[in-house]
Each structure stands twice: as C-alpha cells, then as structure tokens.
Amino acid sequence: MAHTHHAASGRPALTLRLPVLGLPVAGRLEAVGWLEADEAARFLAAAAADPRPPRLRTGALLGVMLTEGVRVAEICGADIADPGHDRGWRTLTVTRKGGKRQVLPLAPPIVHA
C-alpha cells in the first residue's frame, strides 16, 4: 500500500508515492523533510564556527550524515577509530537500520577534519 503526498511547496518529490511503513502518526502520515544545499552549507558552517574543540569532530560527523544519509544511531555506532580504505578512498563501516553493514566512502574534507 502506498500513500501520495501533495506537492504544496513546489517540491516535486513530495508527489512521489511512498510505501506506508507502519502506523500513521496522529492519524496522518508525515512528509519526509530534507535540507536544500544552501541550508546544508549553513548547517556545516555553524558547526565549523563553534569555538569549542570538538567542532572538527562535529563537522565531520555532520558531513557524513549529510553526504551519506547516515542516521544518528548509525554514525554513533560506527567505529571511527578504525576507518578503512577502498580504491584510494578512506571509508567508514556503519550498521544500517535492520542490521545491514555498509561501507561508506568519506569525502576528503571529512577525512581531514
């Protein structure tokens, strides 16, 4: 069974038919949200502007989440002390929803953070 979201904001992706994965929240299905490119850039810039020492780690974690679509629980469960290599890329292995493990390539700015 699928549910059709109405395109109220001019975003064509909202017209896609999405599978219903469980019970609706408060009697209705919630639309999936995302950040536009400029919003993501401002989000990362705010993390980089943090004066506290963990800003590099925070920026790297947010970068992985934004570029790879990793959930908070997935990134928190990753062993960042043991990154891998694949065809010249640094990689990070995460356990996805449902227990599936996936190797993710890391962009150079994230690796250097």
Side-chain angles (χ1 to χ4, degrees), residues 17-83:
R17 292 178 51 82
L18 302 174
V20 176
L21 302 174
L23 298 174
V25 177
R28 67 187 201 300
L29 292 171
E30 296 294 324
V32 177
W34 64 84
L35 295 177
E36 299 292 341
D38 63 319
E39 294 170 321
R42 287 195 315 269
F43 186 58
L44 291 173
D50 187 346
R52 297 173 291 178
R55 74 180 172 278
L56 294 177
R57 179 202 61 205
T58 301
L61 291 173
L62 294 175
V64 171
M65 291 172 67
L66 287 171
T67 60
E68 299 298 330
V70 179
R71 293 173 173 86
V72 172
E74 295 168 349
I75 195 72
C76 289
D79 183 3
I80 61 171
D82 188 25

Short mmCIF file of all heavy atoms in Angstrom, two decimals, residues 17-83:
data_model
loop_
_atom_site.label_atom_id
_atom_site.label_comp_id
_atom_site.label_asym_id
_atom_site.label_seq_id
_atom_site.Cartn_x
_atom_site.Cartn_y
_atom_site.Cartn_z
N ARG A 17 4.93 8.47 -4.64
CA ARG A 17 4.16 7.53 -3.83
C ARG A 17 5.14 6.81 -2.91
O ARG A 17 6.05 6.15 -3.37
CB ARG A 17 3.42 6.55 -4.72
CG ARG A 17 2.32 7.23 -5.54
CD ARG A 17 1.59 6.29 -6.46
NE ARG A 17 1.10 5.07 -5.85
CZ ARG A 17 -0.04 4.97 -5.16
NH1 ARG A 17 -0.80 6.04 -4.99
NH2 ARG A 17 -0.43 3.82 -4.67
N LEU A 18 4.94 6.99 -1.62
CA LEU A 18 5.82 6.39 -0.62
C LEU A 18 5.16 5.19 0.01
O LEU A 18 3.95 5.21 0.26
CB LEU A 18 6.15 7.42 0.48
CG LEU A 18 6.81 8.70 0.00
CD1 LEU A 18 6.94 9.68 1.16
CD2 LEU A 18 8.16 8.41 -0.61
N PRO A 19 5.92 4.13 0.31
CA PRO A 19 5.31 2.98 0.99
C PRO A 19 4.92 3.36 2.41
O PRO A 19 5.57 4.17 3.05
CB PRO A 19 6.43 1.94 0.99
CG PRO A 19 7.68 2.72 0.83
CD PRO A 19 7.32 3.95 0.05
N VAL A 20 3.86 2.78 2.89
CA VAL A 20 3.43 3.01 4.26
C VAL A 20 4.16 1.99 5.12
O VAL A 20 4.01 0.78 4.93
CB VAL A 20 1.90 2.85 4.40
CG1 VAL A 20 1.48 3.00 5.84
CG2 VAL A 20 1.20 3.88 3.53
N LEU A 21 4.98 2.46 6.02
CA LEU A 21 5.80 1.58 6.85
C LEU A 21 5.36 1.65 8.30
O LEU A 21 6.07 2.13 9.16
CB LEU A 21 7.28 1.97 6.74
CG LEU A 21 7.86 1.96 5.33
CD1 LEU A 21 9.28 2.50 5.33
CD2 LEU A 21 7.83 0.56 4.77
N GLY A 22 4.19 1.20 8.60
CA GLY A 22 3.73 1.24 9.97
C GLY A 22 2.52 2.13 10.12
O GLY A 22 1.90 2.54 9.15
N LEU A 23 2.20 2.43 11.35
CA LEU A 23 1.02 3.22 11.64
C LEU A 23 1.27 4.70 11.40
O LEU A 23 2.35 5.19 11.66
CB LEU A 23 0.60 3.00 13.09
CG LEU A 23 0.20 1.57 13.44
CD1 LEU A 23 -0.05 1.46 14.93
CD2 LEU A 23 -1.03 1.15 12.65
N PRO A 24 0.26 5.41 10.93
CA PRO A 24 0.41 6.86 10.78
C PRO A 24 0.59 7.53 12.14
O PRO A 24 0.13 7.02 13.15
CB PRO A 24 -0.92 7.29 10.15
CG PRO A 24 -1.58 6.05 9.69
CD PRO A 24 -1.02 4.91 10.49
N VAL A 25 1.28 8.66 12.13
CA VAL A 25 1.49 9.44 13.35
C VAL A 25 0.30 10.36 13.52
O VAL A 25 -0.01 11.15 12.63
CB VAL A 25 2.80 10.25 13.25
CG1 VAL A 25 2.98 11.12 14.48
CG2 VAL A 25 3.97 9.32 13.05
N ALA A 26 -0.38 10.27 14.66
CA ALA A 26 -1.54 11.13 14.97
C ALA A 26 -2.57 11.11 13.85
O ALA A 26 -3.14 12.13 13.48
CB ALA A 26 -1.08 12.56 15.27
N GLY A 27 -2.79 9.93 13.25
CA GLY A 27 -3.82 9.79 12.25
C GLY A 27 -3.44 10.24 10.86
O GLY A 27 -4.24 10.21 9.95
N ARG A 28 -2.20 10.67 10.64
CA ARG A 28 -1.78 11.07 9.31
C ARG A 28 -0.32 10.69 9.09
O ARG A 28 0.43 10.50 10.03
CB ARG A 28 -1.97 12.56 9.10
CG ARG A 28 -1.07 13.43 9.95
CD ARG A 28 -1.48 14.90 9.79
NE ARG A 28 -0.51 15.87 10.12
CZ ARG A 28 0.09 16.06 11.30
NH1 ARG A 28 -0.13 15.27 12.28
NH2 ARG A 28 0.93 17.02 11.50
N LEU A 29 0.07 10.58 7.85
CA LEU A 29 1.46 10.29 7.52
C LEU A 29 2.23 11.59 7.41
O LEU A 29 1.75 12.56 6.85
CB LEU A 29 1.55 9.52 6.20
CG LEU A 29 0.98 8.11 6.26
CD1 LEU A 29 0.93 7.53 4.86
CD2 LEU A 29 1.83 7.24 7.15
N GLU A 30 3.43 11.59 7.94
CA GLU A 30 4.28 12.79 7.90
C GLU A 30 5.11 12.78 6.63
O GLU A 30 5.60 11.75 6.19
CB GLU A 30 5.22 12.81 9.12
CG GLU A 30 4.50 12.92 10.45
CD GLU A 30 3.79 14.25 10.62
OE1 GLU A 30 4.33 15.27 10.16
OE2 GLU A 30 2.70 14.25 11.20
N ALA A 31 5.28 13.94 6.01
CA ALA A 31 6.15 14.08 4.84
C ALA A 31 7.60 14.03 5.29
O ALA A 31 7.94 14.46 6.38
CB ALA A 31 5.88 15.42 4.13
N VAL A 32 8.45 13.47 4.45
CA VAL A 32 9.87 13.39 4.73
C VAL A 32 10.50 14.75 4.48
O VAL A 32 10.25 15.37 3.45
CB VAL A 32 10.54 12.32 3.84
CG1 VAL A 32 12.03 12.28 4.09
CG2 VAL A 32 9.91 10.96 4.10
N GLY A 33 11.30 15.23 5.41
CA GLY A 33 11.95 16.52 5.25
C GLY A 33 13.38 16.37 4.78
O GLY A 33 13.98 15.31 4.91
N TRP A 34 13.95 17.41 4.24
CA TRP A 34 15.34 17.42 3.82
C TRP A 34 15.85 18.85 3.84
O TRP A 34 15.09 19.79 3.96
CB TRP A 34 15.50 16.82 2.42
CG TRP A 34 14.80 17.58 1.35
CD1 TRP A 34 15.28 18.67 0.68
CD2 TRP A 34 13.49 17.36 0.85
NE1 TRP A 34 14.35 19.13 -0.22
CE2 TRP A 34 13.24 18.34 -0.13
CE3 TRP A 34 12.50 16.42 1.13
CZ2 TRP A 34 12.05 18.41 -0.82
CZ3 TRP A 34 11.31 16.51 0.43
CH2 TRP A 34 11.10 17.48 -0.53
N LEU A 35 17.15 18.98 3.71
CA LEU A 35 17.78 20.29 3.64
C LEU A 35 18.14 20.60 2.20
O LEU A 35 18.64 19.74 1.48
CB LEU A 35 19.07 20.32 4.48
CG LEU A 35 18.93 20.13 5.98
CD1 LEU A 35 20.31 20.13 6.62
CD2 LEU A 35 18.08 21.22 6.58
N GLU A 36 17.90 21.82 1.79
CA GLU A 36 18.38 22.30 0.50
C GLU A 36 19.89 22.50 0.62
O GLU A 36 20.44 22.55 1.72
CB GLU A 36 17.69 23.61 0.12
CG GLU A 36 16.18 23.51 0.01
CD GLU A 36 15.72 22.67 -1.18
OE1 GLU A 36 16.54 22.46 -2.11
OE2 GLU A 36 14.57 22.23 -1.18
N ALA A 37 20.59 22.65 -0.51
CA ALA A 37 22.05 22.78 -0.50
C ALA A 37 22.51 23.97 0.34
O ALA A 37 23.48 23.85 1.11
CB ALA A 37 22.58 22.89 -1.92
N ASP A 38 21.84 25.11 0.22
CA ASP A 38 22.26 26.28 1.00
C ASP A 38 22.00 26.08 2.49
O ASP A 38 22.77 26.54 3.33
CB ASP A 38 21.57 27.56 0.50
CG ASP A 38 20.07 27.52 0.65
OD1 ASP A 38 19.45 26.47 0.39
OD2 ASP A 38 19.50 28.57 1.03
N GLU A 39 20.94 25.36 2.83
CA GLU A 39 20.67 25.07 4.24
C GLU A 39 21.73 24.13 4.82
O GLU A 39 22.19 24.32 5.94
CB GLU A 39 19.28 24.43 4.39
CG GLU A 39 18.14 25.35 4.03
CD GLU A 39 16.82 24.63 3.94
OE1 GLU A 39 16.77 23.47 3.45
OE2 GLU A 39 15.82 25.24 4.36
N ALA A 40 22.13 23.13 4.03
CA ALA A 40 23.18 22.21 4.48
C ALA A 40 24.50 22.95 4.67
O ALA A 40 25.22 22.71 5.64
CB ALA A 40 23.34 21.07 3.47
N ALA A 41 24.81 23.86 3.76
CA ALA A 41 26.05 24.64 3.87
C ALA A 41 26.04 25.50 5.14
O ALA A 41 27.04 25.58 5.85
CB ALA A 41 26.24 25.51 2.63
N ARG A 42 24.90 26.14 5.42
CA ARG A 42 24.80 26.94 6.65
C ARG A 42 24.90 26.07 7.90
O ARG A 42 25.50 26.46 8.90
CB ARG A 42 23.49 27.74 6.66
CG ARG A 42 23.48 28.89 5.68
CD ARG A 42 22.37 29.90 5.92
NE ARG A 42 21.07 29.34 6.16
CZ ARG A 42 20.15 29.07 5.23
NH1 ARG A 42 20.43 29.34 3.96
NH2 ARG A 42 18.97 28.58 5.53
N PHE A 43 24.33 24.89 7.84
CA PHE A 43 24.38 23.93 8.95
C PHE A 43 25.83 23.55 9.25
O PHE A 43 26.28 23.59 10.40
CB PHE A 43 23.55 22.71 8.55
CG PHE A 43 23.36 21.67 9.61
CD1 PHE A 43 22.77 21.99 10.82
CD2 PHE A 43 23.72 20.36 9.37
CE1 PHE A 43 22.56 21.03 11.79
CE2 PHE A 43 23.52 19.39 10.33
CZ PHE A 43 22.93 19.72 11.55
N LEU A 44 26.60 23.22 8.21
CA LEU A 44 28.01 22.85 8.39
C LEU A 44 28.85 24.05 8.82
O LEU A 44 29.76 23.92 9.62
CB LEU A 44 28.57 22.24 7.11
CG LEU A 44 28.01 20.87 6.75
CD1 LEU A 44 28.50 20.44 5.38
CD2 LEU A 44 28.37 19.83 7.80
N ALA A 45 28.53 25.24 8.29
CA ALA A 45 29.27 26.45 8.67
C ALA A 45 29.05 26.76 10.15
O ALA A 45 29.97 27.18 10.84
CB ALA A 45 28.84 27.63 7.81
N ALA A 46 27.84 26.56 10.64
CA ALA A 46 27.56 26.78 12.06
C ALA A 46 28.36 25.83 12.93
O ALA A 46 28.90 26.22 13.97
CB ALA A 46 26.07 26.63 12.34
N ALA A 47 28.48 24.57 12.51
CA ALA A 47 29.29 23.60 13.26
C ALA A 47 30.76 24.00 13.24
O ALA A 47 31.46 23.91 14.26
CB ALA A 47 29.11 22.20 12.69
N ALA A 48 31.25 24.47 12.10
CA ALA A 48 32.66 24.87 11.97
C ALA A 48 32.96 26.13 12.78
O ALA A 48 34.10 26.33 13.20
CB ALA A 48 33.01 25.09 10.50
N ALA A 49 31.97 26.97 13.01
CA ALA A 49 32.18 28.22 13.74
C ALA A 49 32.15 28.03 15.25
O ALA A 49 32.48 28.96 15.99
CB ALA A 49 31.10 29.24 13.34
N ASP A 50 31.79 26.85 15.71
CA ASP A 50 31.75 26.58 17.14
C ASP A 50 33.15 26.73 17.73
O ASP A 50 34.09 26.12 17.24
CB ASP A 50 31.22 25.16 17.37
CG ASP A 50 30.97 24.83 18.83
OD1 ASP A 50 31.45 25.58 19.72
OD2 ASP A 50 30.32 23.83 19.09
N PRO A 51 33.34 27.56 18.77
CA PRO A 51 34.67 27.79 19.30
C PRO A 51 35.21 26.63 20.16
O PRO A 51 36.40 26.61 20.46
CB PRO A 51 34.49 29.05 20.16
CG PRO A 51 33.07 29.02 20.57
CD PRO A 51 32.33 28.40 19.42
N ARG A 52 34.38 25.68 20.49
CA ARG A 52 34.83 24.58 21.35
C ARG A 52 35.66 23.57 20.56
O ARG A 52 35.45 23.39 19.36
CB ARG A 52 33.63 23.89 21.99
CG ARG A 52 32.87 24.84 22.92
CD ARG A 52 31.60 24.23 23.40
NE ARG A 52 30.70 24.12 22.24
CZ ARG A 52 29.49 23.59 22.29
NH1 ARG A 52 29.03 23.10 23.39
NH2 ARG A 52 28.74 23.54 21.21
N PRO A 53 36.61 22.89 21.20
CA PRO A 53 37.50 21.95 20.50
C PRO A 53 36.81 20.84 19.70
O PRO A 53 37.32 20.46 18.66
CB PRO A 53 38.35 21.36 21.63
CG PRO A 53 38.33 22.39 22.69
CD PRO A 53 36.98 23.06 22.59
N PRO A 54 35.65 20.30 20.12
CA PRO A 54 35.07 19.20 19.33
C PRO A 54 34.47 19.62 18.00
O PRO A 54 33.86 18.81 17.32
CB PRO A 54 33.99 18.62 20.24
CG PRO A 54 33.94 19.41 21.47
CD PRO A 54 34.96 20.50 21.37
N ARG A 55 34.64 20.89 17.58
CA ARG A 55 33.99 21.35 16.35
C ARG A 55 34.44 20.55 15.12
O ARG A 55 33.63 20.31 14.23
CB ARG A 55 34.21 22.83 16.14
CG ARG A 55 35.61 23.21 15.69
CD ARG A 55 35.75 24.72 15.50
NE ARG A 55 37.11 25.07 15.25
CZ ARG A 55 38.04 25.23 16.19
NH1 ARG A 55 37.73 25.05 17.45
NH2 ARG A 55 39.27 25.56 15.87
N LEU A 56 35.69 20.13 15.07
CA LEU A 56 36.14 19.35 13.91
C LEU A 56 35.45 18.00 13.86
O LEU A 56 35.01 17.55 12.81
CB LEU A 56 37.66 19.17 13.94
CG LEU A 56 38.48 20.45 13.77
CD1 LEU A 56 39.96 20.14 13.90
CD2 LEU A 56 38.18 21.11 12.44
N ARG A 57 35.34 17.36 15.02
CA ARG A 57 34.65 16.07 15.08
C ARG A 57 33.18 16.25 14.71
O ARG A 57 32.63 15.49 13.94
CB ARG A 57 34.78 15.47 16.48
CG ARG A 57 34.05 14.13 16.61
CD ARG A 57 33.72 13.78 18.03
NE ARG A 57 32.84 14.81 18.57
CZ ARG A 57 32.73 15.08 19.85
NH1 ARG A 57 33.45 14.46 20.73
NH2 ARG A 57 31.89 16.01 20.27
N THR A 58 32.56 17.29 15.27
CA THR A 58 31.15 17.55 15.00
C THR A 58 30.93 17.82 13.51
O THR A 58 30.01 17.27 12.90
CB THR A 58 30.66 18.74 15.84
OG1 THR A 58 30.85 18.45 17.21
CG2 THR A 58 29.19 19.04 15.57
N GLY A 59 31.79 18.64 12.92
CA GLY A 59 31.68 18.93 11.49
C GLY A 59 31.84 17.68 10.64
O GLY A 59 31.12 17.49 9.66
N ALA A 60 32.78 16.81 11.01
CA ALA A 60 32.99 15.56 10.26
C ALA A 60 31.77 14.65 10.38
O ALA A 60 31.32 14.08 9.38
CB ALA A 60 34.24 14.86 10.77
N LEU A 61 31.24 14.52 11.58
CA LEU A 61 30.06 13.67 11.77
C LEU A 61 28.86 14.20 10.99
O LEU A 61 28.15 13.44 10.32
CB LEU A 61 29.72 13.55 13.25
CG LEU A 61 30.72 12.77 14.10
CD1 LEU A 61 30.35 12.86 15.58
CD2 LEU A 61 30.80 11.33 13.65
N LEU A 62 28.64 15.50 11.05
CA LEU A 62 27.53 16.09 10.32
C LEU A 62 27.74 15.95 8.81
O LEU A 62 26.79 15.72 8.06
CB LEU A 62 27.36 17.56 10.70
CG LEU A 62 26.92 17.82 12.14
CD1 LEU A 62 26.91 19.31 12.43
CD2 LEU A 62 25.59 17.19 12.44
N GLY A 63 28.99 16.09 8.36
CA GLY A 63 29.30 15.92 6.94
C GLY A 63 28.96 14.52 6.46
O GLY A 63 28.39 14.35 5.38
N VAL A 64 29.31 13.51 7.24
CA VAL A 64 28.98 12.12 6.87
C VAL A 64 27.46 11.94 6.84
O VAL A 64 26.92 11.33 5.92
CB VAL A 64 29.62 11.10 7.85
CG1 VAL A 64 29.10 9.70 7.59
CG2 VAL A 64 31.13 11.13 7.73
N MET A 65 26.79 12.49 7.82
CA MET A 65 25.33 12.34 7.87
C MET A 65 24.67 13.01 6.66
O MET A 65 23.76 12.45 6.06
CB MET A 65 24.79 12.92 9.17
CG MET A 65 25.20 12.10 10.39
SD MET A 65 24.77 12.88 11.95
CE MET A 65 22.99 12.79 11.87
N LEU A 66 25.15 14.18 6.28
CA LEU A 66 24.56 14.91 5.15
C LEU A 66 24.91 14.28 3.80
O LEU A 66 24.06 14.20 2.92
CB LEU A 66 25.00 16.37 5.17
CG LEU A 66 24.37 17.24 6.24
CD1 LEU A 66 25.06 18.60 6.29
CD2 LEU A 66 22.88 17.41 6.00
N THR A 67 26.14 13.85 3.63
CA THR A 67 26.55 13.33 2.32
C THR A 67 26.14 11.89 2.09
O THR A 67 25.92 11.48 0.96
CB THR A 67 28.07 13.46 2.10
OG1 THR A 67 28.76 12.72 3.11
CG2 THR A 67 28.51 14.91 2.11
N GLU A 68 26.04 11.11 3.15
CA GLU A 68 25.76 9.69 3.00
C GLU A 68 24.38 9.27 3.49
O GLU A 68 24.02 8.11 3.39
CB GLU A 68 26.83 8.86 3.74
CG GLU A 68 28.23 9.08 3.21
CD GLU A 68 28.38 8.66 1.75
OE1 GLU A 68 27.66 7.75 1.30
OE2 GLU A 68 29.21 9.26 1.06
N GLY A 69 23.63 10.21 4.08
CA GLY A 69 22.30 9.86 4.56
C GLY A 69 22.32 8.93 5.76
O GLY A 69 21.43 8.11 5.93
N VAL A 70 23.35 9.05 6.58
CA VAL A 70 23.50 8.18 7.74
C VAL A 70 22.66 8.72 8.89
O VAL A 70 22.63 9.92 9.16
CB VAL A 70 24.99 8.10 8.16
CG1 VAL A 70 25.18 7.24 9.38
CG2 VAL A 70 25.82 7.57 7.01
N ARG A 71 21.96 7.84 9.57
CA ARG A 71 21.16 8.21 10.74
C ARG A 71 22.07 8.46 11.93
O ARG A 71 23.20 7.96 11.99
CB ARG A 71 20.18 7.10 11.07
CG ARG A 71 19.12 6.89 10.03
CD ARG A 71 18.29 5.65 10.38
NE ARG A 71 17.16 5.50 9.49
CZ ARG A 71 17.21 4.90 8.31
NH1 ARG A 71 18.35 4.38 7.88
NH2 ARG A 71 16.14 4.82 7.56
N VAL A 72 21.57 9.20 12.91
CA VAL A 72 22.34 9.50 14.12
C VAL A 72 22.80 8.21 14.80
O VAL A 72 23.97 8.05 15.15
CB VAL A 72 21.52 10.37 15.10
CG1 VAL A 72 22.25 10.52 16.43
CG2 VAL A 72 21.24 11.73 14.50
N ALA A 73 21.91 7.25 14.98
CA ALA A 73 22.26 5.99 15.64
C ALA A 73 23.32 5.23 14.86
O ALA A 73 24.19 4.59 15.45
CB ALA A 73 21.02 5.12 15.83
N GLU A 74 23.27 5.31 13.53
CA GLU A 74 24.25 4.61 12.70
C GLU A 74 25.64 5.22 12.84
O GLU A 74 26.63 4.50 12.95
CB GLU A 74 23.80 4.62 11.24
CG GLU A 74 22.52 3.86 11.00
CD GLU A 74 21.91 4.10 9.63
OE1 GLU A 74 22.34 5.03 8.91
OE2 GLU A 74 20.98 3.36 9.29
N ILE A 75 25.72 6.53 12.84
CA ILE A 75 27.03 7.18 12.96
C ILE A 75 27.58 7.03 14.37
O ILE A 75 28.77 6.84 14.57
CB ILE A 75 26.99 8.65 12.50
CG1 ILE A 75 28.41 9.20 12.27
CG2 ILE A 75 26.28 9.54 13.47
CD1 ILE A 75 29.08 8.68 11.06
N CYS A 76 26.69 7.07 15.36
CA CYS A 76 27.15 6.90 16.75
C CYS A 76 27.64 5.49 17.02
O CYS A 76 28.51 5.28 17.86
CB CYS A 76 26.03 7.25 17.73
SG CYS A 76 25.69 9.02 17.79
N GLY A 77 27.11 4.52 16.28
CA GLY A 77 27.53 3.14 16.46
C GLY A 77 28.75 2.76 15.63
O GLY A 77 29.29 1.65 15.78
N ALA A 78 29.22 3.65 14.77
CA ALA A 78 30.38 3.34 13.91
C ALA A 78 31.67 3.42 14.71
O ALA A 78 31.79 4.21 15.65
CB ALA A 78 30.44 4.32 12.74
N ASP A 79 32.64 2.60 14.32
CA ASP A 79 33.96 2.62 14.97
C ASP A 79 34.86 3.57 14.17
O ASP A 79 35.52 3.17 13.23
CB ASP A 79 34.55 1.22 15.00
CG ASP A 79 35.89 1.15 15.72
OD1 ASP A 79 36.34 2.19 16.27
OD2 ASP A 79 36.49 0.07 15.74
N ILE A 80 34.85 4.84 14.57
CA ILE A 80 35.62 5.83 13.82
C ILE A 80 37.12 5.70 14.05
O ILE A 80 37.91 6.30 13.35
CB ILE A 80 35.14 7.27 14.10
CG1 ILE A 80 35.30 7.62 15.58
CG2 ILE A 80 33.71 7.47 13.65
CD1 ILE A 80 35.05 9.08 15.88
N ALA A 81 37.52 4.89 15.03
CA ALA A 81 38.95 4.66 15.27
C ALA A 81 39.53 3.68 14.26
O ALA A 81 40.74 3.50 14.18
CB ALA A 81 39.16 4.13 16.69
N ASP A 82 38.68 3.02 13.47
CA ASP A 82 39.14 2.01 12.53
C ASP A 82 38.58 2.26 11.13
O ASP A 82 37.85 1.44 10.60
CB ASP A 82 38.72 0.62 13.03
CG ASP A 82 39.33 -0.49 12.20
OD1 ASP A 82 40.40 -0.27 11.59
OD2 ASP A 82 38.74 -1.58 12.15
N PRO A 83 38.96 3.41 10.50
CA PRO A 83 38.49 3.65 9.14
C PRO A 83 39.21 2.73 8.16
O PRO A 83 40.33 2.28 8.42
CB PRO A 83 38.84 5.11 8.88
CG PRO A 83 40.00 5.37 9.78
CD PRO A 83 39.81 4.48 10.98
#
